[in-house]
Amino acid sequence: MRVDNDDILRSSGTDVRKCMKCGKCSGACPSFDEMDFPPHIFVSMVERGDAAALLSSKSLWTCMSCFACVERCPRGVEPANVIEAVRASAMSPQGANRMRPEDVPVFLGAAGECLVPQQLLASAFRKYSR
Amino acid sequence: MKFSYFPGCTLKAEAGRSGETAISAAGALGVEVTELDQWQCCGAVYPLARDEIATKLSAVRALIDAKRAGLPLLTLCSACHHVIKRVNRDMAEDSDVRDRVNSYVAPEVPYGGETKVVHFLEMLRDHVGFDSVAKRVTAPLAGQRVAAYYGCMLLRPSSAMGFDDPENPSIMEGLIAAIGAEPVLYPQRNECCGGYLAIENKGAAKRRASEVVRSAAEHGADCIATTCPLCLYNLTENGAAGTMPVYDLTALLANALGLHVEPSSGCAAVCSVCSERNSAHAC
């Protein structure tokens, strides 16, 4: 799939060129062990115009948007916003959503009651579908 | 003190009791809370993409209704607070978002972020005062070592949330002390619980939530208390798995105020039994 690196930069609203490769975002990331491209590598690849390589990365689906990287970046780069922009690109083609309405019933009980907090379904839907 | 109130989907349904509990505790402290006549789910996550407008509209509608009522907007769920507070900031500071939203919603007067968004904990700290809370406590939780769990959404990004010190917060510990318990500090109190990963990557969510619970236990906590329904679920289901009680902090407050909260069922394990002040009990 084709991906427009400029679109990603625009949508993230952050300037990846400010990154000084200190790695503090990755040091702060509670999902570091779950990722193939940790935040500082992820940002660096987008900066180099390599966003296409990230479309199939595990990092897209293991970032929890907890904003630890955003809070602790000494340069105001906002890595979580960059990951979000690539995640949105990865789901933009028809049928590429990570979560579909058909995935919901498994979280419902016999009487249709929600077995998990609605907040969990709502946030997963926002993150895993377009 | 009067507030408009945005309960949000989770506190209204699954964990309905905990929303009511918090509001009755506020009432006991002399705070008058009126739920908005109409509201929609906030969306649970703040839309990070610069060009997203539709996903911000439900927050804006709630903000406009609170402005019409002339009251600050009270939130309780961390996700609702995060989304509404950040959208409000966009409306105040980002003319592109403000113009496009106003053009679509077309309110009688264009909205520019005038409503003040106040989280329940901020209301207790800044409007009631923890000293006043302490004076109203009739059943102090003496001897309980309570580990406050902040999670992410109340604190970060601090430039937008302006809630507390993002790395060394104290607001929840302040409330825990006010209700007579002993606050426990531990390193994981402001790290993520796993959030929405619980839907499709249960393993990762369990590893994350377990780390939080382990950290609290290691520092001598009898129980964990939080105000976020999703944190409550993740820490209970994916982290503690029966090894450590996890409570809704507002239920502890209500019990300390002598309101004798009934146990809640379902995924939100709100405890009523703390009036026993028995750290070993299970809900």
Side-chain angles (χ1 to χ4, degrees):
Chain A
M1 163 198 172
R2 207 187 127 271
V3 59
D4 187 332
N5 217 78
D6 289 340
D7 266 356
I8 286 176
L9 292 175
R10 189 165 45 243
S11 154
S12 71
T14 193
D15 185 357
V16 290
R17 290 168 306 179
K18 289 194 296 188
C19 172
M20 61 183 186
K21 325 263 189 256
C22 69
K24 195 159 188 176
C25 51
S26 293
C29 179
S31 251
F32 179 87
D33 290 340
E34 313 286 341
M35 290 187 169
D36 41 7
F37 298 95
H40 75 292
I41 305 280
F42 199 102
V43 168
S44 186
M45 287 176 74
V46 171
E47 187 203 350
R48 290 201 312 256
D50 261 354
L54 297 166
L55 289 171
S56 54
S57 70
K58 248 177 99 179
S59 303
L60 289 186
W61 315 109
T62 48
C63 167
M64 303 179 288
S65 303
C66 75
F67 306 115
C69 55
V70 174
E71 186 67 48
R72 292 165 196 166
C73 174
R75 298 281 291 160
V77 171
E78 304 179 309
N81 297 33
V82 178
I83 294 174
E84 176 92 348
V86 179
R87 174 159 52 203
S89 278
M91 292 187 296
S92 64
Q94 186 67 250
N97 280 342
R98 180 87 167 180
M99 186 172 171
R100 298 156 302 148
E102 303 89 276
D103 298 327
V104 172
V106 69
F107 300 103
L108 303 178
E113 78 280 15
C114 200
L115 301 175
V116 297
Q118 282 94 325
Q119 181 190 354
L120 176 53
L121 288 175
S123 51
F125 245 107
R126 280 280 163 90
K127 289 293 181 183
Y128 297 146
S129 68
R130 293 289 285 167
Chain B
M1 275 170 285
K2 288 186 179 178
F3 291 86
S4 281
Y5 171 50
F6 182 94
C9 58
T10 308
L11 290 177
K12 199 66 188 178
E14 285 315 293
R17 285 269 179 72
S18 72
E20 287 167 25
T21 298
I23 298 313
S24 60
L29 293 166
V31 179
E32 198 180 311
V33 174
T34 311
E35 184 178 329
L36 293 173
D37 281 343
Q38 293 187 41
W39 51 266
Q40 302 161 307
C41 170
C42 72
V45 291
Y46 172 75
L48 292 172
R50 292 274 305 130
D51 46 2
E52 291 218 24
I53 293 296
T55 41
K56 293 179 176 170
L57 294 178
S58 67
V60 173
R61 291 188 181 109
L63 288 161
I64 291 175
D65 284 348
K67 182 185 166 189
R68 283 193 190 117
L71 295 172
L73 184 58
L74 186 71
T75 56
L76 179 54
C77 166
S78 298
C80 298
H81 182 71
H82 184 92
V83 172
I84 295 172
K85 178 103 183 184
R86 291 185 78 175
V87 169
N88 201 37
R89 186 171 185 251
D90 290 344
M91 292 301 286
E93 294 178 7
D94 186 330
S95 60
D96 181 50
V97 172
R98 181 168 61 236
D99 292 348
R100 289 161 69 195
V101 167
N102 276 312
S103 151
Y104 186 85
V105 178
E108 62 278 24
V109 181
Y111 183 73
E114 293 86 0
T115 298
K116 197 166 164 19
V117 184
V118 181
H119 185 264
F120 194 84
L121 289 168
E122 293 174 312
M123 180 269 286
L124 294 176
R125 178 190 60 189
D126 304 333
H127 297 264
V128 177
F130 288 148
D131 287 353
S132 306
V133 173
K135 282 180 196 145
R136 300 297 295 270
V137 167
T138 55
L141 279 73
Q144 278 262 47
R145 290 175 54 81
V146 181
Y149 181 69
Y150 289 85
C152 321
M153 287 186 286
L154 290 177
L155 297 170
R156 294 188 292 267
S158 57
S159 55
M161 300 310 294
F163 183 79
D164 202 345
D165 181 329
E167 304 294 2
N168 189 20
S170 59
I171 185 168
M172 291 175 82
E173 285 80 6
L175 178 58
I176 288 167
I179 59 177
E182 185 189 337
V184 175
L185 298 182
Y186 62 110
Q188 291 278 329
R189 67 199 171 116
N190 62 342
E191 297 294 350
C192 186
C193 70
Y196 50 81
L197 288 192
I199 283 286
E200 67 130 40
N201 193 340
K202 194 97 172 158
K206 279 192 168 160
R207 285 189 285 281
R208 188 83 284 284
S210 307
E211 186 61 20
V212 174
V213 175
R214 189 195 58 75
S215 173
E218 214 171 75
H219 287 77
D222 296 323
C223 64
I224 298 176
T226 181
T227 60
C228 176
L230 182 51
C231 297
L232 185 64
Y233 169 80
N234 272 335
L235 295 185
T236 305
E237 299 292 321
N238 296 324
T243 59
M244 161 97 65
V246 185
Y247 302 126
D248 176 347
L249 180 54
T250 62
L252 298 189
L253 167 68
N255 277 324
L257 294 172
L259 297 174
H260 304 296
V261 178
E262 289 298 314
S264 171
S265 59
C267 55
V270 177
C271 177
S272 67
V273 204
C274 280
S275 47
E276 293 176 17
R277 298 197 284 282
N278 174 3
S279 63
H281 75 268
C283 305

